[in-house]
Amino acid sequence: MKTLEWEDNKLKLIDQTKLPDELTYIYCETYQEVIVAIKDMIVRGAPAIGVSAAYGLALADLSGEDMEKAAKEMRAARPTAVNLMWAVDRVMASDDILEEAHKMAEEDMAMCRAIGKYGAELIDYGDTVLTHCNAGALACVDYGTALGVFRAAHDEGKNINVLCDETRPRGQGARLSVWEMQQENIPVKLIPDVASGYLMSIGKVDKVVIGADRVAYDGIANKIGSLMVALAAKRYGIPFYVAAPTSTFDDQISIFDTEIEERSADEVTHYGSCRICPEGTEVINPAFDIVPCDLISGVITEKGVFLLNNEWEDFKYFLEKE
Ligand code: MRU
């Protein structure tokens, strides 16, 4: 099962808005349809957004669109995950956009496997590991970053237990991460977002592993709520790891300059179609937050595990993206 695939000159995507109830697919035939799929979170997660954007531009190329215009619109689909801008720049600089998109999809799968391998070395036998949002196969082409670490540790017989934050308001933890772990019989429990601090305080969490939408020298951006998890982990001395491929790295900015996407109010005022607050309630709905580097125990990449800030310069070669 792949999150996205090129089939008959179309981009085939799992419709993640329908999970876990239905495993259905949509087919994008134009780049504009790919942009809508990214905006509406039919496809979501930083690496999946990046590779989808690459295929979206391949669709634009095949139908003879104005490529500069298509690239500009694609870049603007969602602002926070740097993989999107990275993918657009990369295919636009290539000679054959479709070929480059295929290459990126292959690389993404290989990077996730490598992240899994390095990350599993950090997991001890019997660990209870907590994650936030969905940094799984559904957020990539396949396998996943944070959930790739759990897959690898499980496959190595480490007997892990996974705790998934529900991840309000979109419920990526409850709907997607729990579903992914269940597909492979990896022991998993769902917890309310507000429970992670308490569970850490009573020794029920051994390690935290999350994904990232952007990694810079001074911290990472990830799903809203990551910062609270990181603060609680620091308070209780629990290792807090970020699993991310180098396609998520940004050496151009301080992480604090990342544009944080603000999403619509109805994501917060409603559970599905059910309103949960008085009509007309004003809302603040940032989709991501920033975890500064002093709260991060290590970044697990396809090239190994390293610390932000002090080791950033040594790992600069990571950023040489093809
Ligand atoms: O809004 P989303 O669902 O696209 O947010 C996804 C995340 O925050 C993931 O943790 C991140 O993209 C890493 S995915 C490997």
Side-chain angles (χ1 to χ4, degrees):
M1 181 198 71
K2 281 192 190 157
T3 300
L4 59 101
E5 224 166 345
W6 185 254
E7 205 177 276
D8 301 329
N9 278 350
K10 295 180 195 120
L11 177 62
K12 178 182 174 190
L13 298 170
I14 292 181
D15 184 348
Q16 300 192 32
T17 63
K18 299 276 183 354
L19 285 171
D21 296 331
E22 285 172 41
L23 178 58
T24 53
Y25 297 86
I26 70 146
Y27 291 83
C28 298
E29 299 186 32
T30 65
Y31 83 89
Q32 290 94 341
E33 286 173 3
V34 177
I35 291 175
V36 171
I38 293 172
K39 283 188 183 195
D40 291 351
M41 296 174 69
I42 287 166
V43 62
R44 32 71 46 207
I49 291 173
V51 180
S52 297
Y55 279 122
L57 292 179
L59 287 170
D61 194 30
L62 288 176
S63 55
E65 303 278 349
D66 173 345
M67 290 307 293
E68 289 303 325
K69 178 171 170 283
K72 191 168 171 230
E73 289 171 24
M74 191 63 79
R75 286 176 78 90
R78 286 188 83 187
T80 305
V82 76
N83 300 62
L84 175 61
M85 298 74 192
W86 167 79
V88 170
D89 291 345
R90 181 166 155 183
V91 294
M92 290 298 284
S94 73
D95 295 328
D96 183 334
I97 294 189
L98 181 57
E99 210 35 61
E100 197 66 20
H102 286 325
K103 224 165 113 190
M104 288 162 72
E106 289 298 324
E107 283 172 15
D108 190 69
M109 289 188 278
M111 287 193 291
C112 284
R113 297 277 167 176
I115 287 170
K117 181 175 87 64
Y118 285 118
E121 289 171 14
L122 301 168
I123 308 293
D124 292 315
Y125 184 86
D127 269 355
T128 295
V129 288
L130 182 142
T131 194
H132 188 71
C133 193
N134 173 265
L138 291 164
C140 304
V141 177
D142 196 1
Y143 205 71
T145 59
L147 297 193
V149 171
F150 302 162
R151 283 192 163 90
H154 176 78
D155 289 348
E156 288 173 17
K158 287 206 164 156
N159 210 16
I160 59 164
N161 291 286
V162 178
L163 299 179
C164 294
D165 285 351
E166 58 177 343
T167 319
R168 276 284 288 149
R170 298 282 303 209
Q172 291 95 327
R175 293 190 303 106
L176 308 177
S177 294
V178 168
W179 182 79
E180 274 195 39
M181 296 290 92
Q182 287 174 347
Q183 298 303 301
E184 295 181 35
N185 295 319
I186 299 174
V188 61
K189 287 194 175 83
L190 172 65
I191 63 167
D193 290 324
V194 286
S196 57
Y198 168 66
L199 292 172
M200 288 185 207
S201 78
I202 59 168
K204 299 286 186 197
V205 178
D206 297 303
K207 268 139 211 158
V208 178
V209 186
I210 64 163
D213 286 82
R214 195 179 290 245
V215 177
Y217 71 93
D218 50 356
I220 65 117
N222 193 52
K223 180 53 53 196
I224 192 75
S226 299
L227 174 60
M228 292 199 313
V229 177
L231 287 165
K234 184 78 170 179
R235 171 67 177 80
Y236 295 107
I238 295 162
F240 181 95
Y241 295 109
V242 174
T246 51
S247 51
T248 305
F249 281 51
D250 186 346
D251 64 346
Q252 302 297 311
I253 62 166
S254 159
I255 200 68
F256 299 99
D257 293 331
T258 303
E259 184 181 344
I260 301 294
E261 179 182 9
E262 176 85 25
R263 292 192 64 89
S264 71
D266 58 5
E267 290 186 349
V268 182
T269 55
H270 288 69
Y271 279 127
S273 56
C274 176
R275 183 162 46 78
I276 57 163
C277 58
E279 224 164 327
T281 298
E282 285 186 35
V283 165
I284 303 173
N285 185 20
F288 299 93
D289 60 24
I290 303 293
V291 181
C293 58
D294 60 295
L295 301 181
I296 300 171
S297 313
V299 180
I300 308 163
T301 76
E302 74 275 18
K303 299 190 180 175
V305 183
F306 75 100
L307 284 170
L308 291 179
N309 221 2
N310 17 3
E311 288 181 6
W312 182 261
E313 287 301 320
D314 299 342
F315 283 86
K316 263 267 169 97
Y317 69 88
F318 276 12
L319 304 172
E320 285 164 21
K321 301 170 194 172
E322 291 135 63

